[in-house]
Amino acid sequence: MQFENTLEFARKLDAEDNLKKYREEFHFPKVNDEQVIYFTGNSLGLQPKRTKKYIDEVMTDWKELAVEGHFYAEKPWWDYHERLAAPLAKIVGAKTNEVTVMNTLTVNLHLLLVSFYQPKGERFKILCEEKAFPSDQYMLRSQVRFHGFDPTEAIVEVNKRKGEHFWRTEDIVKKIEEVGDELALVLIGGVNYYNGQVFDMETITKAGHEVGAKVGWDLAHAVGNIALQLHDWKVDFAAWCSYKYMNSGPGNASGVFINEKYLGKKGIQRFEGWWGTKKETRFLMKPEFEPMENADAWQLSNAPVLSVAPYLASLSMFDEVGMEALIEKRNKIVAYLEFILHEIDKEVDTTFEIITPKERGTQLSVFLHGEGRSIFDYLMKNGVITDWREPNVIRLAPAPFYCSYEDMYRFGQILKNGILKK
Ligand SMILES: *Cc1c(COP(=O)(O)O)cnc(C)c1O
């Protein structure tokens, strides 16, 4: 399609957008009395209007039923979390029994490493990408120290090539082969938070398995953003948060995938709690732990229903729309944003360098060569919410659920004016 950098053309794309009515389903903050242009759905998704209803329902049940709500609420609390597994399984390409919702992301990564990082003899190393998300780095380092290893020896990072801003799959595979028998685990962010790169999860998972390692993925920036086939890719485990592209609210609950082949097993290492034991006998309060036959075996506590409720609200929207339609709009709106950036680039002295490779989802990370933080402040003051990373990268993630083509056009104009005004 031949794009045009005009308001009229952007409005034409919006008029043809099958998802346009979903924009009305979200609350937008306002700046100067106007809805903001929101590029930070990769950090905290906007609030869906229907979320309040889901929370109010729990509040009302709690008010009117108190403890009886566990079994007699409209959606009983004791198995409330089970409602999330089926819609989530569709989004991550899993079987329903392989998915559960519990805790928060970093907590879950620690718990999953209890099961999937068991160093033995020479096999004690973990491979990850260089400059992984800080929480993942802290998690990995503290895990290897917990097992008595030195992180500088036990953690192997795959670097980008000099002068390049992305990782090459062949470099990751080569490193996996090099570490070989010493490799216990591969754990990478499926979509990199900084450059927006989508990793070839299938190829990397296969390479890890070929040397006898387990392979897990942190999908914080992937879920609700890109197509996933965790089951078919034979991924061992994965975890993600729900407040980024999943729009389920600040700090909210995390989703977990555990490959079917580990389910219903008694011998597996796992930290356990009462919500992981069979629900048929749970309230007999017996001393033996009998694991649930599904990923719920990893649950420790009774579900935080007030945080699972907004997640369920969000999933109801994903279920209505489907990832396929979201991805179709995503591809088009990101391509339009890229086009706008190229057009504006011609009109200003600043050079824009998109560092996101072609394997991408919703996010474009852009170097604004010659600009400083003041352009970011200008954008914020003018109603464009972006994310600034030193020295001069802005991350733009136009979530297809609620961003419009007109937003992309207007962003281009505001960016241009901000640069020209300097
Ligand atoms: C957002 C993000 C996190 C955040 O972890 P929490 O435990 O939810 O605070 C962790 N890892 C990655 C890769 C992220 O993008």
Side-chain angles (χ1 to χ4, degrees):
M1 173 180 285
Q2 194 62 45
F3 289 136
E4 291 168 32
N5 183 22
T6 63
L7 180 60
E8 193 190 2
F9 185 81
R11 286 188 172 158
K12 189 171 98 92
L13 292 180
D14 281 325
E16 294 164 358
D17 175 10
N18 292 330
L19 300 188
K20 64 171 176 283
K21 77 173 166 102
Y22 280 94
R23 186 173 169 84
E24 307 303 317
E25 292 242 12
F26 288 88
H27 291 291
F28 282 75
K30 286 191 172 162
V31 169
N32 309 329
D33 235 17
E34 259 199 82
Q35 280 193 3
V36 298
I37 299 168
Y38 198 71
F39 280 121
T40 43
N42 57 352
S43 184
L44 180 71
L46 292 179
Q47 183 184 132
K49 290 178 182 166
R50 69 179 74 175
T51 299
K52 192 166 182 305
K53 191 174 119 263
Y54 280 69
I55 297 176
D56 286 348
E57 188 180 278
V58 178
M59 295 299 282
T60 304
D61 285 336
W62 177 22
K63 183 171 82 181
E64 293 177 357
L65 300 170
V67 72
E68 296 282 275
H70 279 299
F71 296 105
Y72 302 109
E74 168 98 11
K75 301 185 183 82
W77 306 328
W78 83 299
D79 59 2
Y80 194 103
H81 60 281
E82 291 181 5
R83 293 177 166 76
L84 287 84
L88 258 179
K90 270 200 247 172
I91 292 169
V92 300
K95 296 188 177 180
T96 302
N97 60 345
E98 293 174 315
V99 171
T100 191
V101 169
M102 59 190 201
N103 314 309
T104 47
L105 175 53
T106 308
V107 172
N108 283 339
L109 289 171
H110 275 297
L111 290 173
L112 289 164
L113 261 63
V114 169
S115 300
F116 296 103
Y117 176 57
Q118 288 171 18
K120 272 192 202 73
E122 288 292 286
R123 199 182 281 283
F124 67 99
K125 294 189 176 172
I126 301 179
L127 182 139
C128 63
E129 74 280 35
E130 71 168 316
K131 297 202 177 109
F133 192 87
S135 195
D136 298 36
Q137 294 188 42
Y138 308 145
M139 181 275 297
L140 289 178
R141 282 192 227 132
S142 59
Q143 280 282 339
V144 301
R145 283 199 309 269
F146 176 73
H147 286 280
F149 299 107
D150 175 357
T152 55
E153 212 193 329
I155 296 177
V156 179
E157 295 186 349
V158 183
N159 298 316
K160 293 171 243 174
R161 292 188 190 180
K162 220 175 152 67
E164 291 186 346
H165 297 294
F166 60 94
W167 289 264
R168 289 173 182 257
T169 306
E170 70 249 42
D171 293 351
I172 299 171
V173 171
K174 193 159 148 252
K175 192 68 122 188
I176 288 173
E177 288 165 355
E178 265 171 39
V179 184
D181 290 346
E182 292 183 343
L183 191 61
L185 174 69
V186 176
L187 186 88
I188 297 177
V191 174
N192 184 257
Y193 79 99
Y194 184 78
N195 71 353
Q197 174 174 2
V198 177
F199 285 88
D200 183 344
M201 290 183 239
E202 185 171 18
T203 301
I204 294 167
T205 301
K206 192 155 169 272
H209 287 162
E210 266 163 23
V211 302
K214 298 276 194 294
V215 183
W217 293 94
D218 179 334
L219 301 177
H221 280 258
V223 72
N225 174 18
I226 63 165
L228 294 163
Q229 290 298 339
L230 300 182
H231 180 85
D232 288 350
W233 297 340
K234 301 189 169 58
V235 166
D236 292 296
F237 69 95
W240 54 90
C241 51
S242 61
Y243 46 81
K244 294 175 178 169
Y245 295 108
M246 299 298 296
N247 312 318
S248 84
N252 210 352
S254 159
V256 166
F257 165 88
I258 292 160
N259 192 293
E260 192 173 47
K261 70 180 184 200
Y262 302 107
L263 304 178
K265 299 260 162 67
K266 271 198 178 150
I268 196 155
Q269 287 279 17
R270 182 170 50 213
F271 285 171
E272 293 172 339
W274 72 322
W275 236 246
T277 192
K278 284 219 168 105
K279 56 182 192 177
E280 295 77 12
T281 52
R282 185 175 300 157
F283 298 104
L284 300 178
M285 304 305 213
K286 292 193 302 188
E288 317 86 71
F289 182 88
E290 285 193 82
M292 292 281 292
E293 300 277 341
N294 57 17
D296 288 352
W298 272 258
Q299 296 243 352
L300 301 178
S301 299
N302 71 102
V305 177
L306 282 168
S307 79
V308 180
Y311 200 172
L312 186 61
S314 150
L315 286 171
S316 75
M317 298 180 76
F318 275 89
D319 220 38
E320 275 167 36
V321 172
M323 281 309 297
E324 222 169 288
L326 282 167
I327 287 169
E328 195 187 319
K329 174 167 176 193
R330 178 202 76 191
N331 288 340
K332 194 160 162 183
I333 199 165
V334 176
Y336 190 54
L337 173 61
E338 187 177 26
F339 167 81
I340 299 270
L341 284 167
H342 286 309
E343 290 302 296
I344 302 298
D345 200 357
K346 293 178 200 160
E347 298 179 47
V348 296
D349 287 338
T350 303
T351 312
F352 303 157
E353 182 190 356
I354 297 176
I355 61 170
T356 305
K358 66 179 191 308
E359 297 83 12
R360 69 189 186 193
T362 305
Q363 177 179 326
L364 291 182
S365 302
V366 190
F367 268 119
L368 298 181
H369 293 297
E371 295 299 323
R373 212 193 143 85
S374 62
I375 186 68
F376 167 76
D377 295 334
Y378 179 89
L379 291 171
M380 289 296 265
K381 257 211 320 266
N382 287 278
V384 181
I385 315 279
T386 63
D387 174 282
W388 179 262
R389 297 278 143 159
E390 294 298 335
N392 50 4
V393 171
I394 52 172
R395 299 187 304 161
L396 306 167
F401 245 131
Y402 46 73
C403 288
S404 68
Y405 294 91
E406 182 172 334
D407 284 343
M408 303 305 109
Y409 170 77
R410 283 179 47 223
F411 161 69
Q413 296 304 303
I414 296 168
L415 178 65
K416 180 173 73 181
N417 292 339
I419 292 170
L420 293 178
K421 259 178 80 128
K422 248 195 332 173

